[in-house]
Amino acid sequence: MSFDDVTALQQRAAGLFTAEISPDWTIADKPNGGYLLAMLGRAAGLVGLHPDVIAASAHYLTTPEPGPVTIEVEVLRSGRSASQLRTSLQQDGRSCVQALLTTSRLDADSTAYWDRGVPAPGSLPMADCIRIPDRTPTGLSVAIMRQVDLRIEPGCLGFADGRPSGRGELYGWLALPDGANFDPCSLLYAIDAFPPATFEIEATGWVPTLELTGYVRALPAPGPVRILQRAQLIEARRVDEACFVWDVTGRLVAQASQLAGIKLG
Amino acid sequence: MSFDDVTALQQRAAGLFTAEISPDWTIADKPNGGYLLAMLGRAAGLVGLHPDVIAASAHYLTTPEPGPVTIEVEVLRSGRSASQLRTSLQQDGRSCVQALLTTSRLDADSTAYWDRGVPAPGSLPMADCIRIPDRTPTGLSVAIMRQVDLRIEPGCLGFADGRPSGRGELYGWLALPDGANFDPCSLLYAIDAFPPATFEIEATGWVPTLELTGYVRALPAPGPVRILQRAQLIEARRVDEACFVWDVTGRLVAQASQLAGIKLG
């Protein structure tokens, strides 16, 4: 199923949508958090006056099951150049994800005025990177890896052999099903698509996202995107990670940070 | 006035507070965005089951004036180890700031399990850094600089002489009035206290925060905090900045990212 299909919304009333979480976009039967945020981003783009999400901040309350969900959107402010919206994703009357979003209109012709540059050592073409398998070492299904083509550079794949590098970063590439192009909504998935960068520190179980903030900075060129996922601090059973997403031309198109739970520290 | 005084809340009903934005905590008569977020953090700590903000994501709708405001807090979920809350700051019936927050209880005895380390070149003691004046080069009042003691290392002060380094980062120190200790609420101010890191790229007017996300990672030791503020990309009249805050012992206590408007690109 295409990304557009698995994030499709049915409008039920003003600011009220239903959607269906796909069982195929899951890790051990839990939907990916960026995939859920992309649904909220799509709803925000339909309700506000502006089509493109540029900032999204989500707090994850409880993990929904695959299946039907309800999405509510409330416009907080509509300006000339941006709309600000509050959204929530509910299942069986329970709020699962709450997010604040800002939408605007991204200009296909804009260019960077100033760029600090690539903070990552990654540089291999996608074909030289290793595709992540659809099963964890402990045998859990990572169904989403049968949908997307997610490849990690060999230089940060120590964890796959039980020998993490200790550097706490992962870099590589991501392509959508059938090589579909990325847009601001699917970039909200891209910022949470990679395995936890903590895999390159120490093996753990699930690293559930508590908070995820993403900025979409430009419309990406057609093709896959390059991603760097990097941990900064593990303390008190929580870890933060930064994420950078570049399009195939090397242009920085999205950035994110997240705070997640981890069974370390 | 102490930070506690200028963020004091009066409870009016369950989840409803009034507060007073101090005219002294302003830049050109506009209250600092982190100061406003700290008020919301304080309210969240009073309403939820947990005292310490660990994650806060704010979208700024419109800038309130100094003077009375109303703060509303709604508990979204109360768990054993964390509470999740939705808050808003209103003035004259207008919503000015909306934020989602997660609160928990930070343990004074926790230690970092893994830390990438300091990403900044800054290293001078506070006494060797330069205090930021209380007036802009164009003559506007930066009243807040009479309240806090904010000092920048000479190595990133090129902008003060009209010769920005082009590196887009500022580092230095921050102390609260009367050397008061930082806590999770005042760290929400610290993550937005520094001048824009873009000053070390090119002089501009106001750089208004659109979205600000902060993570409080540990209870800081008594004393001032060290801060790094760093820009990554300026494009389409928006800039993102990352912020890191360490306590005097060199422990990473808070992190943040923000998206702001800028008259460049």
Side-chain angles (χ1 to χ4, degrees), chain B:
Chain B
M1 292 238 285
S2 74
F3 189 77
D4 284 355
D5 285 342
V6 295
T7 56
L9 305 177
Q10 306 292 326
Q11 183 146 12
R12 301 298 179 183
L16 183 67
F17 301 86
T18 53
E20 191 83 19
I21 297 175
S22 168
D24 295 329
W25 285 64
T26 55
I27 299 106
D29 299 326
K30 297 176 197 296
N32 171 279
Y35 163 42
L36 301 179
L37 185 56
M39 283 185 175
L40 296 179
R42 172 153 293 184
L46 293 172
V47 173
L49 295 178
H50 301 84
D52 302 320
V53 176
I54 61 164
S57 325
H59 285 239
Y60 291 84
L61 279 58
T62 187
T63 308
E65 304 290 323
V69 292
T70 301
I71 291 172
E72 284 183 13
V73 185
E74 180 193 350
V75 178
L76 299 168
R77 182 172 169 274
S78 278
R80 190 181 53 78
S81 66
S83 301
Q84 292 161 303
L85 309 102
R86 185 157 71 183
T87 65
S88 70
L89 185 150
Q90 290 141 34
Q91 189 173 59
D92 299 331
R94 240 181 2 167
S95 182
C96 301
V97 186
Q98 297 259 342
L100 296 166
L101 297 104
T102 299
T103 58
S104 185
R105 186 175 294 278
L106 290 170
D107 177 0
D109 295 328
S110 83
T111 54
Y113 181 83
W114 183 89
D115 188 347
R116 170 172 301 278
V118 179
S123 61
L124 289 183
M126 189 167 180
D128 295 339
C129 297
I130 311 296
R131 190 159 179 185
I132 293 289
D134 63 0
R135 215 155 266 286
T136 68
T138 54
L140 297 174
S141 170
V142 189
I144 199 168
M145 293 307 163
R146 292 190 288 272
Q147 302 298 316
V148 300
D149 185 353
L150 192 160
R151 301 191 193 197
I152 305 278
E153 290 207 14
C156 55
L157 263 178
F159 73 93
D161 295 322
R163 289 193 295 271
S165 68
R167 290 194 302 270
E169 44 185 36
L170 296 177
Y171 34 93
W173 294 85
L174 176 71
L176 291 175
D178 300 320
N181 296 332
F182 280 90
D183 63 15
C185 273
S186 48
L187 286 176
L188 293 183
Y189 160 63
I191 59 173
D192 190 44
F194 262 43
T198 53
F199 280 12
E200 273 291 89
I201 300 169
E202 192 171 327
T204 63
W206 191 36
V207 181
T209 302
L210 306 170
E211 199 277 348
L212 172 64
T213 292
Y215 305 141
V216 176
R217 304 304 302 278
L219 296 172
V225 292
R226 201 174 133 223
I227 294 178
L228 164 67
Q229 189 85 20
R230 174 181 280 173
Q232 175 70 37
L233 180 72
I234 302 174
E235 177 161 344
R237 299 170 87 80
R238 283 185 283 269
V239 61
D240 67 290
E241 296 189 41
C243 179
F244 300 84
V245 183
W246 297 267
D247 71 10
V248 281
T249 72
R251 173 196 189 120
L252 185 61
V253 292
Q255 303 155 293
S257 65
Q258 69 170 273
L259 188 69
I262 190 169
K263 295 209 168 82
L264 292 174

Side-chain angles (χ1 to χ4, degrees), chain A residues 49-64:
Chain A
L49 294 177
H50 301 85
D52 302 319
V53 176
I54 60 163
S57 325
H59 285 238
Y60 292 82
L61 280 57
T62 187
T63 308

Side-chain angles (χ1 to χ4, degrees), chain A residues 65-152:
Chain A
E65 304 288 324
V69 292
T70 301
I71 291 172
E72 285 183 13
V73 185
E74 179 193 350
V75 178
L76 299 169
R77 184 174 168 274
S78 278
R80 190 183 51 81
S81 65
S83 300
Q84 292 162 302
L85 309 101
R86 185 158 70 183
T87 65
S88 70
L89 185 149
Q90 290 142 34
Q91 189 173 59
D92 300 331
R94 241 182 1 166
S95 182
C96 301
V97 186
Q98 295 258 344
L100 296 166
L101 298 104
T102 298
T103 57
S104 184
R105 185 177 295 278
L106 291 169
D107 176 359
D109 294 328
S110 82
T111 55
Y113 181 83
W114 183 89
D115 188 346
R116 171 171 301 279
V118 178
S123 61
L124 289 183
M126 188 166 181
D128 294 340
C129 298
I130 311 296
R131 190 159 179 183
I132 294 290
D134 63 0
R135 215 156 265 287
T136 69
T138 56
L140 297 173
S141 170
V142 190
I144 199 168
M145 294 305 163
R146 292 190 287 274
Q147 302 298 317
V148 299
D149 185 354
L150 191 160
R151 303 193 191 195
I152 305 276

Side-chain angles (χ1 to χ4, degrees), chain A residues 114-122 168-174 187 189-194 197 212-217 224-232 240-247 250-258, chain B residues 116 119 230-233 240-244 256-257:
Chain A
W114 183 89
D115 188 346
R116 171 171 301 279
V118 178
E169 45 185 35
L170 296 177
Y171 33 93
W173 294 85
L174 176 71
L187 286 176
Y189 160 64
I191 58 172
D192 189 45
F194 262 42
L212 173 63
T213 293
Y215 305 141
V216 176
R217 305 303 303 278
V225 291
R226 199 171 137 224
I227 294 179
L228 164 69
Q229 189 85 20
R230 174 182 280 176
Q232 173 71 37
D240 67 291
E241 297 189 42
C243 179
F244 299 83
V245 183
W246 297 267
D247 71 10
R251 175 197 187 116
L252 184 61
V253 292
Q255 302 156 293
S257 65
Q258 69 170 274
Chain B
R116 170 172 301 278
R230 174 181 280 173
Q232 175 70 37
L233 180 72
D240 67 290
E241 296 189 41
C243 179
F244 300 84
S257 65

